[in-house]
Amino acid sequence: MTGQPRRLPVGGRVDRTSPISFTFDGRTYQGLRGDTLASALLANGVDVVARSFKFGRPRGIVGSGAEEPNAIVRIGSGARALPNQRATQVELYGGLVGVSSAVHGLRGLIDAARRVLPAGFYYKMLMAPPMLWRFWEHVLRRGAGLGTVPQGADPDRYDKLNRHCDVMVVGAGPAGLAAALVAARCGARVVIADEQDAFGGSLLSSALRIGGRPAAEWVVEGVRELRTFEHVAMLPRSTVVGLYDHGFLTVLERCADHLPVAAGPAVRERLHRVRAKEIVLAAGAIERPLVFANNDLPGVMLASAVSCYVNRFGVAPGERLVLATTNDGGYRTALDWQRAGLEVVAVADTRPDPNGALPRAAREAGIRVLPGHGVVEAVGHAHVRAALVAPLNTAGTALTGTPRRITCDLIASSGGWNPAVHLSSQTGTRPVWREEAVGFVAGQRRGLHCAGAVTGASTVEACLAQGATAGASAARAAGLAPGKAELPTTDEAAQEAQQALFVIPHVRDTSRAPPQFVDLQLDVTAADIELAAREGYESVEHAKRYTALGFGTDQGKLGNVNGIAVLARALGREIGDVGTTMFRPAYTPATFGAIAGRDVGDLFDPERHTPMHAWHEAQGAVWEDVGRWKRPRYYPEPGEEMDAAVARECVAARTGVAMMDASTLGKIDVQGRDAARFLDRIYAGGFLKLGVGTCRYGVMLKDDGMLFDDGVTVRLDDERYLVHTTTGNAEAVLAWLELWRQTEWPDLDVYLTSVTDHWATVAVVGPKAREVLGRVCSDIDLAADAFPFMACREGHVADVRARVLRISFSGELSFEVNVPAGKAVAVWEALMAAGSADGITPYGTETMHVLRAEKGFIIVGQDTDGSMTPHDMGLDWAVRHGKRHGFVGERSLALADYQRPDRLQLVGLRTVEPADVIPEGAQIVADVDRTRSGRVPMHGFVTSSYFSATLGRSIALAMLKGGRGRLGETVHCPLDNGKVLAAEVVGPVFYDPDGERQHG
Amino acid sequence: MAEGVVLAKLPVRGLLNLRLPTGAPATPAVAQLVGLALPETPCTCAAGADVAAYWLAPGEWLVAVNAGAEAELESRLRSALDGTGAVVDVSAGYVRYNLRGSAVAELLMKACPYDFDRRTFGPGRCVQTVFAKATALIAGVEDASFDLAIRRSYADYFERWTADAASAYGG
Amino acid sequence: MLLLQCPHCLEARSEEEFDYAGEAHIQRPAPGVSDAEWTDYLYFRSNPQGRHREMWVHTAGCRRYFNVVRDTGSYEVLAVYPIGANPPPGEREVETLAAETPR
């Protein structure tokens, strides 16, 4: 045990055979397997583990679990570093590297800072002139913070698992184990999780006997029985971090955080997403420290933590103990301490006449008990050297004598227990104050069964009984037949009433006494809370924000209730009336890795591929993300930049032949007796008289009359249509059509089926398209009069059954060849081969954009944003009023506001300098001279803008106020580089305005 | 049972999306053409010789037949329906897979929010649900064996996601 | 994370399979109404704290829409019923009462 001066010679659940070494803040220490980082540090006599957040005061380990406010550490280094860990919950392993998170506090200021950083400091500073904030920001940023961001991408693996169960048991202490056993015996699917590495909870550090045997044996037996059930999942090292609605919980399992880094490719942390029919909340309770002057000194600890270190880890965090308590339970720590052969100097019990079994046992053991006394102040600089103890009045609210100094190096305090109600209140159920338990307990909620210390139960026997009852009632509520519950007895003594006391008064009043810390992590004192109350922050939520009480990563697990008590005292109100603040997930911090799981890297979001994806890739296509689809943006030749590639592709389409993969367009099969009537109501245009084998462009509006989607619809036969949607809108359009079909017109005989993935589409485009297609298609007459523009024909292309549409999004002669996706690659390659002699050129979305913009064809979602009517876009020709049933959005088109002449309207822009390409999104102003004044009326904005190789100049589409009435006017686009581009307002069609080419 | 997880692409079949008016039971003519009684119980499927039918929604099924047989069945069904239902060839719209092995249940727990508890989900059951960030039609084949139909454009994502998840089992 | 009983699949499914589809039982006024009445229909919804009748669609499942009565405060689902069906009688009364409560 050399090097572990505070390790007791015997005891604890630690392996003493082979010490392991670890480093903390750069120094190497020895610890034991079974230690936490905190117990190992205490064994080594390390008492200062942090500097406080605001004042830079030295801080030591206070607790032994999730409540720890001070020992916040970063484990590991580089990309694997795990910040924000509580040393009390970090399992020790050989080679562990820990770094204290808050060592860089404002040490120089220390106590002086308390004078300049009062409660509400941040608030007041933010309200002060901004110059002052700049000064403070500099000071504070240097000092603040609880850790650093890990460097580099996290190399570890995290994943998620969806679980379903009848009963989820939160916590595997006595109550949780009893509940799980009873529920499992009823046949319930059970998930039981506990944050510790072993099940047992408080029993792991208890000297109690259950059913005549040591508590640990009862735990082992219970765990063994649970293992026999196939339908029970046991999750140690798993913290239930979130409890949401409808029985949904998130459980963070630390699979490999307790192992050295070289553990391999295994999962480091796993997030279980549990859906439970019923929940047993057996999360236990967290001891409440007493608030007294200088109570933040290293050497002031929770009584239960002291017991835990002695009993579970064989570590004595000091030599001479003073215990400050308000209840019988605290005496266990004095007894544990003495049993370990250490000196109990005194027990200061605030109650005037403690006479329960435990106080009696303490007296019988020769321990000096001071009834009606409180520890009013801890004395020392970097560590406790003495306690000032003074007699109190019966209520504990005032001193009745002079404090005396008692030399000691450890002060353990117990002010009672705070039930761990955090999870129950995450869904909005307010905790309820229970006077007899001196604590907030969980509010009632259907499906939530509370058991054990979380209800305020103070004995293990009560916890076991409540657990059994909760397990049985949860199983019953989940629909299972009841099983039998055996209740073991314990040798635990009954306890007398505790005293509801939170702050030990000082000789001086609160504002003049040495600081009485309420929230250790954020340095909030009782005086701060009183100040908040004086300044009018009477609501607990306001006081929290004003003082930062509970804002730390520990969410105030130790300090909140004491803070509420101080506020209640200051306001002269009852604690229950003041109420708690809201607890939110996560109960303890969860890593982003676990939240992301495997949805990282190229699995972050699905990439949708067309059947020709591999071909495009082999051709070196540069990709564009369109929704979830990967689409070729352009196909650069070696050494070619985008502009050159696009110019080449455009020229091929306009002068020769080119080809595009259009498979991503949404396709919906519309079938049934009423298919025509349905489409006629959905589309703004008329669809009743569309002939079989012909196509029509249509626009769909939302109910507000705004353009929602557009595309070509084909009538395949009398009762069957194929609707094309834009790529990005395919799902939304189908959902929209289904909404109308299912909720408005259920009487219509019409059925909608997505065939987007079934059909692949190849657009063959250009003056030579007919010639090229003709080489691989013999059973369709492609002649202009036999197969006119906007017609549809069925036949074979490259021996594959195909549906060919003569539609054009480029303005050129164009055939869109649709074949089943499974055969698309063969057809694509056959068409490429058929056109090779004519230099057939594959083109991507960028060229498609240029070609369509030259023609003034809009793209919904690029040129529109959900606030444009067909009239705004110059699409009145695609709207037909007077249909028998009207169409969706028609009434809105008549709204007065839609008739305003100054609405934004689609126009074209020609820059005065042909080479200037206006950036998309550029704002349009009318008066260039006023651009410098800073306030210029906006007249519109540019939606699409390209350099047209065909026209040898830039072109742009824009939305301009009253645009169609302003043709010929010159407008200006100020750019962020200070340049202003002048442009002439023109019609939106730049190329072949009469459409001769596409009709060719 | 295979160790870990085994993912196999299934041979192409003809797939028809079939719709009938809800409320009215399928006519004998439709059942005769399909070759089996369409399952009316939600989230179940039925199989006959060379044909299977999966319940997708009230009045909606996915009918799987031998590759090449779908075109004729489609046109016969359309005539039989006479405008009061619909039939659509979606054969190329899906890629079909089989997932099996000792770890397949856990892999599905990673992928799906649906509860594939073996006591309630086995042969004869099918479900449409979320699979990772895509969706899937999943049918029970036998213990620890499931057939999946994935929309074709998501097949690459599905394969990569599944391979990644299965790598934890050395499969 | 809600758990919704799909009235078509007859199973309780997790929220990620569904999409919310707006308030249910909204009556579309006849085209002849005034602009004010029409825009009230377009843009105004009840948005209560408490019982709310709303539509959901089982996007990843059967793709069918259905109605839900849900308490927007507690998130409790009080009723699930198909499109076209009337809300359960009790729910209708509650809704009427809520509408009469001054806001």
Side-chain angles (χ1 to χ4, degrees):
Chain A
M1 291 307 133
T2 48
Q4 296 184 49
R6 299 280 191 201
R7 185 77 67 180
L8 293 165
V10 290
R13 296 165 50 93
V14 285
D15 175 6
R16 291 169 183 264
T17 52
S18 51
I20 48 182
S21 57
F22 67 99
T23 68
F24 181 73
D25 280 347
R27 286 190 59 188
T28 302
Y29 301 97
Q30 301 254 294
L32 300 177
R33 278 179 221 288
D35 264 330
T36 61
L37 176 56
S39 69
L41 288 171
L42 287 170
N44 283 279
V46 176
D47 50 6
V48 178
V49 295
R51 293 274 166 178
S52 77
F53 180 66
K54 206 154 119 185
F55 307 135
R57 289 167 69 103
R59 291 284 160 83
I61 293 161
V62 168
S64 57
E67 72 283 359
E68 175 60 37
N70 291 338
I72 308 297
V73 296
R74 188 180 77 222
I75 302 298
S77 57
R80 282 201 156 87
L82 203 53
N84 247 324
Q85 302 298 297
R86 293 144 309 283
T88 48
Q89 295 191 296
V90 173
E91 288 178 54
L92 196 71
Y93 55 83
L96 177 144
V97 177
V99 178
S100 162
S101 289
V103 287
H104 305 295
L106 305 175
R107 286 183 215 191
L109 298 175
I110 310 229
D111 268 348
R114 209 157 59 83
R115 307 278 169 244
V116 295
L117 296 175
F121 169 75
Y122 286 90
Y123 172 81
K124 287 167 181 165
M125 183 178 58
L126 288 166
M127 302 300 281
M131 285 302 291
L132 217 55
W133 163 242
R134 280 197 200 140
F135 165 74
W136 281 113
E137 183 184 22
H138 180 68
V139 177
L140 289 167
R141 289 231 189 272
R142 205 153 41 88
L146 290 165
T148 51
V149 175
Q151 299 301 303
D154 190 337
D156 285 316
R157 188 181 172 93
Y158 303 80
D159 73 6
K160 286 185 259 192
L161 209 57
N162 296 295
R163 288 186 178 277
H164 300 263
C165 62
D166 295 311
V167 179
M168 168 85 213
V169 181
V170 180
L177 279 175
L181 282 165
V182 170
R185 288 174 195 152
C186 298
R189 286 166 93 186
V190 174
V191 175
I192 176 169
D194 193 281
E195 62 186 2
Q196 301 203 57
D197 60 311
F199 280 8
S202 63
L203 300 181
L204 293 174
S205 52
S206 168
L208 202 69
R209 298 178 77 82
I210 298 178
R213 292 166 304 164
E217 273 182 36
W218 181 83
V219 171
V220 168
E221 193 151 304
V223 168
R224 192 180 299 140
E225 183 184 341
L226 283 176
R227 278 211 193 93
T228 63
F229 297 106
E230 196 195 346
H231 50 272
V232 172
M234 298 164 73
L235 304 175
R237 296 191 175 97
S238 299
T239 307
V240 180
V241 289
L243 191 156
Y244 304 83
D245 297 286
H246 296 193
F248 186 77
L249 306 104
T250 48
V251 184
L252 181 71
E253 181 186 11
R254 293 168 295 278
C255 312
D257 283 349
H258 61 293
L259 300 172
V261 169
V267 171
R268 180 177 186 173
E269 290 181 356
R270 170 171 288 166
L271 192 73
H272 299 262
R273 306 168 80 247
V274 182
R275 182 73 76 172
K277 286 184 187 153
E278 302 289 321
I279 298 168
V280 173
L281 184 67
I286 293 167
E287 196 165 23
R288 184 167 56 231
L290 286 165
V291 176
F292 50 87
N294 283 335
N295 58 336
D296 67 327
L297 262 185
V300 177
M301 296 178 75
L302 292 176
S304 58
V306 171
S307 280
C308 177
Y309 289 115
V310 170
N311 294 341
R312 182 167 174 190
F313 299 105
V315 171
E319 286 170 7
R320 294 159 59 79
L321 171 74
V322 166
L323 173 73
T325 187
T326 61
N327 58 78
D328 283 6
Y331 283 84
R332 281 196 213 107
T333 300
L335 291 163
D336 289 339
W337 191 258
Q338 195 188 48
R339 201 178 306 118
L342 299 155
E343 184 188 353
V344 180
V345 186
V347 174
D349 190 328
T350 60
R351 298 171 299 177
D353 186 22
N355 234 329
L358 283 164
R360 280 203 312 272
R363 283 201 200 91
E364 280 159 21
I367 293 172
R368 180 162 67 138
V369 175
L370 303 170
H373 275 68
V375 171
V376 300
E377 184 176 331
V379 180
H381 281 291
H383 196 93
V384 169
R385 289 206 317 241
L388 294 187
V389 177
L392 302 169
N393 65 357
T394 312
T397 52
L399 304 189
T400 56
T402 320
R404 66 184 126 151
R405 184 185 166 109
I406 299 180
T407 304
C408 64
D409 62 354
L410 181 63
I411 301 173
S413 86
S414 176
W417 291 79
N418 291 327
V421 296
H422 311 74
L423 287 171
S424 75
S425 73
Q426 283 179 2
T427 49
T429 310
R430 292 275 178 182
V432 181
W433 180 256
R434 264 190 51 204
E435 206 66 58
E436 68 276 20
V438 194
F440 285 98
V441 300
Q444 293 275 328
R445 187 176 173 83
R446 192 194 290 176
L448 189 70
H449 310 258
C450 294
V454 77
T455 70
S458 57
T459 66
V460 169
E461 202 160 293
C463 290
L464 291 167
Q466 288 186 2
T469 306
S473 60
R476 196 180 320 113
L480 293 144
K484 65 182 164 83
E486 290 162 24
L487 292 184
T489 56
T490 70
D491 62 351
E492 201 173 11
Q495 294 189 12
E496 287 194 331
Q498 57 176 311
Q499 186 169 27
L501 187 62
F502 308 90
V503 183
I504 307 294
H506 194 266
V507 185
R508 291 187 267 183
D509 66 26
T510 312
S511 61
R512 290 170 189 279
Q516 300 167 322
F517 284 93
V518 172
D519 183 325
L520 290 168
Q521 195 174 88
L522 289 190
D523 275 350
V524 180
T525 65
D528 291 333
I529 296 167
E530 289 186 358
L531 176 68
R534 275 203 305 281
E535 296 192 355
Y537 295 87
E538 297 187 359
S539 152
V540 65
E541 295 285 4
H542 294 162
K544 167 183 172 170
R545 280 152 186 80
Y546 194 62
T547 61
L549 171 71
F551 261 104
T553 58
D554 62 346
Q555 288 196 48
K557 289 186 178 66
L558 286 187
N560 272 4
V561 174
N562 282 334
I564 292 162
V566 173
L567 185 64
R569 186 181 67 180
L571 297 171
R573 283 158 58 185
E574 296 296 323
I575 292 175
D577 296 338
V578 171
T580 62
T581 55
M582 215 59 162
F583 296 106
R584 296 193 170 81
Y587 172 68
T588 49
T591 58
F592 281 110
I595 293 167
R598 296 305 300 153
D599 299 329
V600 293
D602 63 352
L603 296 175
F604 173 66
D605 201 45
E607 282 180 8
R608 298 180 70 181
H609 292 178
T610 76
M612 292 79 105
H613 185 86
W615 189 94
H616 303 317
E617 198 155 61
Q619 292 296 309
V622 173
W623 299 104
E624 181 179 23
D625 292 332
V626 185
R628 283 176 160 178
W629 290 96
K630 285 280 174 199
R631 298 193 72 178
R633 190 174 187 194
Y634 57 97
Y635 300 81
E637 293 193 334
E640 202 177 37
E641 297 292 319
M642 182 172 91
D643 289 351
V646 170
R648 175 176 51 74
E649 292 171 11
C650 284
V651 168
R654 291 274 183 240
T655 63
V657 61
M659 215 162 88
M660 185 182 68
D661 180 358
S663 306
T664 61
L665 279 188
K667 294 171 280 282
I668 301 167
D669 182 287
V670 181
Q671 249 181 93
R673 221 164 247 179
D674 297 313
R677 271 180 283 275
F678 177 77
L679 291 177
D680 202 52
R681 297 180 192 184
I682 283 289
Y683 275 121
F687 275 79
L688 286 179
K689 291 180 183 150
L690 181 65
V692 171
T694 56
C695 307
R696 180 164 294 166
Y697 172 80
V699 294
M700 287 181 199
L701 313 183
K702 280 275 168 121
D703 228 3
D704 61 2
M706 299 305 176
L707 207 58
F708 167 52
D709 204 64
D710 69 345
V712 167
T713 287
V714 195
R715 187 167 202 167
L716 298 171
D717 64 36
D718 278 352
E719 297 177 345
R720 191 172 184 206
Y721 293 78
L722 182 68
V723 168
H724 288 90
T725 77
T726 55
T727 294
N729 246 355
E731 274 88 4
V733 170
L734 182 57
W736 174 244
L737 300 192
E738 285 285 3
L739 178 69
W740 285 87
R741 186 185 80 88
Q742 292 179 35
T743 70
E744 292 293 325
W745 308 317
D747 50 312
L748 292 188
D749 228 334
V750 61
Y751 302 89
L752 313 170
T753 310
S754 169
V755 288
T756 303
D757 286 86
H758 176 75
W759 293 102
T761 307
V762 185
V764 186
V765 175
K768 293 181 181 166
R770 180 177 287 123
E771 211 176 314
V772 170
L773 181 58
R775 290 180 193 140
V776 288
C777 174
S778 54
D779 55 357
I780 301 175
D781 184 350
L782 301 176
D785 45 353
F787 189 176
F789 184 56
M790 296 304 268
C792 168
R793 297 286 181 268
E794 304 222 349
H796 289 80
V797 173
D799 297 324
V800 175
R801 203 165 161 70
R803 185 183 283 154
V804 183
L805 309 181
R806 240 202 95 179
I807 55 179
S808 178
F809 195 44
S810 56
E812 290 300 322
L813 173 64
S814 162
F815 298 88
E816 294 201 352
V817 178
N818 293 273
V819 292
K823 291 167 178 164
V825 175
V827 172
W828 175 274
E829 286 176 346
L831 283 162
M832 282 299 294
S836 65
D838 299 293
I840 195 165
T841 303
Y843 70 92
T845 51
E846 195 63 25
T847 293
M848 174 189 83
H849 280 207
V850 177
L851 297 175
R852 65 91 201 176
E854 288 169 349
K855 286 289 295 175
F857 295 153
I858 61 161
I859 289 185
V860 171
Q862 173 165 345
D863 300 297
T864 70
D865 62 6
S867 69
M868 283 91 174
T869 67
H871 180 72
D872 297 338
M873 303 309 289
L875 290 170
D876 288 319
W877 59 269
V879 177
R880 182 170 161 164
H881 293 288
K883 294 193 282 187
R884 187 165 161 221
H885 289 277
F887 57 87
V888 176
E890 184 171 25
R891 170 62 184 87
S892 294
L893 296 183
L895 289 170
D897 187 67
Y898 291 27
Q899 323 306 322
R900 276 190 297 112
D902 65 340
R903 285 183 65 87
L904 293 168
Q905 292 176 336
L906 181 75
V907 294
L909 293 182
R910 284 165 59 98
T911 47
V912 171
E913 260 327 303
D916 287 341
V917 181
I918 314 172
E920 285 173 357
Q923 294 293 315
I924 300 169
V925 300
D927 187 351
V928 67
D929 293 333
R930 287 177 59 192
T931 55
R932 275 176 216 92
S933 76
R935 291 192 185 201
V936 181
M938 297 296 177
H939 283 240
F941 48 88
V942 174
T943 59
S944 294
S945 181
Y946 312 94
F947 187 83
S948 164
T950 305
L951 301 169
R953 58 158 302 113
S954 78
I955 57 168
L957 299 177
M959 296 303 296
L960 181 66
K961 278 187 180 174
R964 280 197 294 275
R966 297 169 66 173
L967 302 187
E969 194 178 309
T970 297
V971 293
H972 303 274
C973 295
L975 307 186
D976 54 5
N977 63 7
K979 235 174 121 177
V980 178
L981 299 183
E984 184 194 351
V985 180
V986 296
V989 184
F990 296 90
Y991 184 72
D992 186 26
D994 298 326
E996 282 164 16
R997 301 179 70 89
Q998 66 195 16
H999 285 91
Chain B
M1 191 188 296
E3 284 297 308
V5 175
V6 179
L7 174 69
K9 205 180 260 191
L10 292 173
V12 172
R13 298 197 83 181
L15 300 175
L16 297 178
N17 180 288
L18 175 62
R19 312 292 259 288
L20 299 174
T22 47
T27 63
V30 169
Q32 205 173 0
L33 284 171
V34 172
L36 52 69
L38 296 169
E40 296 282 349
T41 306
C43 307
T44 63
C45 49
D50 300 333
V51 62
Y54 302 85
W55 185 95
L56 299 180
E60 181 173 356
W61 294 266
L62 187 70
V63 177
V65 297
N66 287 338
E70 69 275 9
E72 193 186 332
L73 181 58
E74 180 189 359
S75 65
R76 282 169 167 233
L77 280 170
R78 188 165 297 120
S79 316
L81 296 175
D82 192 27
T84 61
V87 57
V88 182
D89 184 359
V90 292
S91 307
Y94 295 89
V95 182
R96 296 168 58 249
Y97 299 91
N98 177 266
L99 264 178
R100 64 192 168 86
S102 57
V104 72
E106 190 174 295
L107 185 131
L108 288 178
M109 286 166 76
K110 289 182 182 177
C112 308
Y114 187 79
D115 183 7
F116 289 98
D117 183 10
R118 55 188 292 204
R119 289 175 297 185
T120 52
F121 193 94
R125 291 288 320 275
C126 68
V127 63
Q128 297 172 95
T129 185
V130 169
F131 188 103
K133 289 189 179 177
T135 57
L137 168 64
I138 304 177
V141 180
E142 55 190 55
D143 200 22
S145 175
F146 300 85
D147 282 354
L148 292 87
I150 305 291
R151 287 172 68 184
R152 175 179 291 272
S153 56
Y154 285 93
D156 179 78
Y157 167 76
F158 167 80
E159 288 178 20
R160 285 186 294 112
W161 196 95
T162 304
D164 176 79
S167 67
Y169 314 112
Chain C
M1 182 73 77
L2 303 184
L3 186 70
L4 295 174
Q5 173 82 14
C6 173
H8 304 295
C9 295
L10 304 182
E11 286 186 333
R13 301 286 186 88
S14 195
E15 187 176 331
E16 51 266 64
E17 293 192 9
F18 299 92
D19 283 306
Y20 177 64
E23 186 169 352
H25 304 293
I26 300 287
Q27 290 299 317
R28 180 173 289 99
V33 298
S34 69
D35 277 12
E37 283 170 87
W38 182 256
T39 49
D40 188 68
Y41 148 71
L42 278 181
Y43 300 116
F44 289 88
R45 295 295 180 264
S46 64
N47 194 27
Q49 181 179 20
R51 297 187 178 213
H52 187 232
R53 302 182 308 189
E54 53 201 28
M55 290 192 295
W56 288 77
V57 56
H58 195 181
T59 308
C62 64
R63 299 195 294 119
R64 298 299 180 269
Y65 288 80
F66 58 96
N67 293 314
V68 172
V69 180
R70 190 176 63 97
D71 187 310
T72 59
S74 68
Y75 285 15
E76 194 178 353
V77 172
L78 303 157
V80 173
Y81 53 100
I83 297 293
N86 286 318
E91 302 308 332
R92 191 183 269 177
E93 286 159 27
V94 168
E95 199 60 28
T96 317
L97 280 175
E100 286 162 3
T101 312
R103 292 184 188 156

